Amino acid sequence: MIGERRSTILGLIIDHYIKTGEPMGSKTLCLLLPYSISSATIRNEMAYLSDIGFLEQRHTSGGRIPTKASYRYYVDNLLKPKPVTPFEQQKINEILSVNASDPERLLADGARLLADVTGCASFYSTVKDPLDCIQGIDLIPAGNQRAMLVMLSVGGKIKSSVCKITRPIDDDFKRMFYLIINEYFIGTPLADVNLSLVQSTAPRLGTAVFDMLPVLTSLCSLCSEASQGSLEIYGETNLLSQDELSGDVYKLLSFLAQRSKLEQLLDRISKGTIPSALFLGDENPVYELRNTAMALGKLEFNESQKATLGIIGSLRIDYETVLPRVDYIINTVSQLLKEGGVRYE
């Protein structure tokens, strides 16, 4: 700890910088401090805060601005969070409850909401689960020799596609379809659903294999898609309006567009090698994020499913407003995932 007076001075400088992006001098501090103190004493205290790495002076005659290191002290010791209001809670709950029973859509809604509420870039990721398997498959006739194929995994993933079928989808076709599905596919790991498995159904299907082939190959595609981890990013253009990022913004946007390093980082976080947290400045494990604040939560649901949800923004984000809302959204998504889609009343 650095003492009450120095903490007050540091807090005022950081609050001012977050709001304006401008340095603060001793004269301005004299007016803002809740007690009387000389400019000379303030300058001495600012010099001390500079010596320990919490403040820096860009110009000899200018005021001080916070360093990257000072934001951690600020968040841990000086932050006065602005609570999420009942009205905000109601709106968040309403938005997140719409797709509460579909994990990936719920995560997407949570990420979009984070981008809108915080003015930062947001993301969600899911981790590849080799144990996830098929729980159910349905075939819904859609007319014009078309049908919708819907696949649900044990991990809660729902995938669908429209297939074109060359023969009528009558009772005989549906009977054979569900017979094959139950015999060969239900309970099969998603990663094991491939063309070899489809070919193994040929002796059972006989000549009907050609009628069934469009549906089964479509099922292979759905399972392949569902078996992979995913990373979706929203609100990247929000970063363009965050002045603190300035010349780094295009490098950051390129980093987000490439995705591979962020995917690897989030995969490590999901698997527990890095705790979910608030990473500030140089605390970020990835070099390209070292001028940012990244807040994220690690989510677990359906026993073995893992995901992350969070934001990336400037170090000058309004922590008092942003962090409580990030926490509320992540906690609400986590609760809905664990409850399997229980809606808020």
Side-chain angles (χ1 to χ4, degrees):
M1 298 292 289
I2 57 176
E4 182 181 348
R5 185 165 68 186
R6 288 167 181 163
S7 292
T8 301
I9 290 172
L10 180 63
L12 287 170
I13 291 173
I14 294 178
D15 285 337
H16 176 78
Y17 188 68
I18 286 173
K19 292 173 184 174
T20 68
E22 298 294 330
M24 178 177 277
S26 57
K27 291 183 180 179
T28 305
L29 270 169
C30 279
L31 299 175
L32 295 176
L33 283 168
Y35 40 74
S36 179
I37 185 173
S38 69
S39 293
T41 301
I42 290 177
R43 285 193 293 272
N44 287 336
E45 299 290 37
M46 293 168 75
Y48 174 84
L49 292 170
S50 297
D51 290 341
I52 65 172
F54 280 0
L55 295 178
E56 62 180 334
Q57 191 174 23
R58 289 180 176 172
H59 306 289
T60 306
S61 59
R64 302 297 207 282
I65 63 172
T67 63
K68 293 181 188 178
S70 67
Y71 286 104
R72 170 54 62 189
Y73 186 88
Y74 173 79
V75 168
D76 290 347
N77 300 285
L78 306 178
L79 197 67
K80 297 176 182 176
K82 296 177 182 177
V84 183
T85 67
F87 176 75
E88 289 176 298
Q89 292 180 21
Q90 181 183 355
K91 296 302 292 183
I92 290 170
N93 294 342
E94 288 175 356
I95 291 170
L96 294 179
S97 68
V98 171
N99 290 308
S101 59
D102 185 333
E104 289 214 26
R105 288 182 178 176
L106 172 58
L107 287 165
D109 288 344
R112 292 189 191 96
L113 193 54
L114 283 173
D116 290 342
V117 167
T118 66
C120 298
S122 66
F123 59 85
Y124 83 85
S125 72
T126 58
V127 178
K128 181 178 180 179
D129 179 11
L131 301 178
D132 198 9
C133 57
I134 296 175
Q135 177 173 312
I137 299 172
D138 204 0
L139 187 69
I140 305 168
N144 259 351
Q145 294 184 310
R146 294 179 305 162
M148 174 170 283
L149 182 67
V150 182
M151 188 279 297
L152 170 66
S153 78
V154 171
K157 293 184 177 179
I158 302 172
K159 299 292 181 180
S160 64
S161 65
V162 175
C163 316
K164 186 171 180 62
I165 301 173
T166 55
R167 57 154 289 175
I169 307 173
D170 53 20
D171 291 341
D172 287 340
F173 184 91
K174 288 191 285 186
R175 180 186 58 79
M176 181 58 74
F177 170 78
Y178 288 112
L179 181 69
I180 291 298
I181 290 302
N182 288 320
E183 188 171 330
Y184 289 87
F185 294 94
I186 298 298
T188 301
L190 298 175
D192 293 344
V193 179
N194 50 39
L195 291 178
S196 295
L197 180 59
V198 170
Q199 290 170 358
S200 71
T201 67
R204 190 77 169 84
L205 284 168
T207 57
V209 68
F210 299 104
D211 295 329
M212 200 66 65
L213 198 57
V215 182
L216 297 182
T217 54
S218 183
L219 177 59
C220 287
S221 298
L222 293 183
C223 290
S224 175
E225 181 183 345
S227 69
Q228 302 301 313
S230 60
L231 170 63
E232 299 295 335
I233 301 172
Y234 303 90
E236 299 100 309
T237 55
N238 289 341
L239 300 175
L240 295 171
S241 62
Q242 298 187 4
D243 296 337
E244 180 73 1
L245 295 172
S246 59
D248 293 328
V249 69
Y250 294 106
K251 293 179 182 178
L252 181 55
L253 290 174
S254 297
F255 166 78
L256 294 177
Q258 291 170 0
R259 299 187 176 218
S260 57
K261 282 189 178 181
L262 184 57
E263 283 179 335
Q264 292 169 11
L265 171 61
L266 297 177
D267 186 65
R268 286 156 56 200
I269 290 173
S270 294
K271 292 177 179 176
T273 55
I274 297 176
S276 54
L278 171 66
F279 298 105
L280 300 173
D282 293 338
E283 298 171 0
N284 277 287
V286 178
Y287 174 79
E288 288 85 351
L289 297 177
R290 298 256 166 121
N291 286 322
T292 71
M294 180 169 68
L296 70 156
K298 184 170 67 174
L299 310 174
E300 297 184 4
F301 56 101
N302 290 340
E303 296 183 0
S304 61
Q305 302 296 302
K306 300 180 185 297
T308 58
L309 179 63
I311 64 164
I312 296 172
S314 161
L315 279 167
R316 271 183 55 211
I317 60 172
D318 181 0
Y319 295 95
E320 294 183 339
T321 300
V322 167
L323 293 185
R325 282 140 190 86
V326 170
D327 286 344
Y328 186 84
I329 291 169
I330 291 176
N331 289 336
T332 302
V333 170
S334 178
Q335 181 181 348
L336 288 170
L337 287 171
K338 289 176 180 177
E339 293 175 352
V342 174
R343 293 174 181 266
Y344 284 82
E345 298 297 336

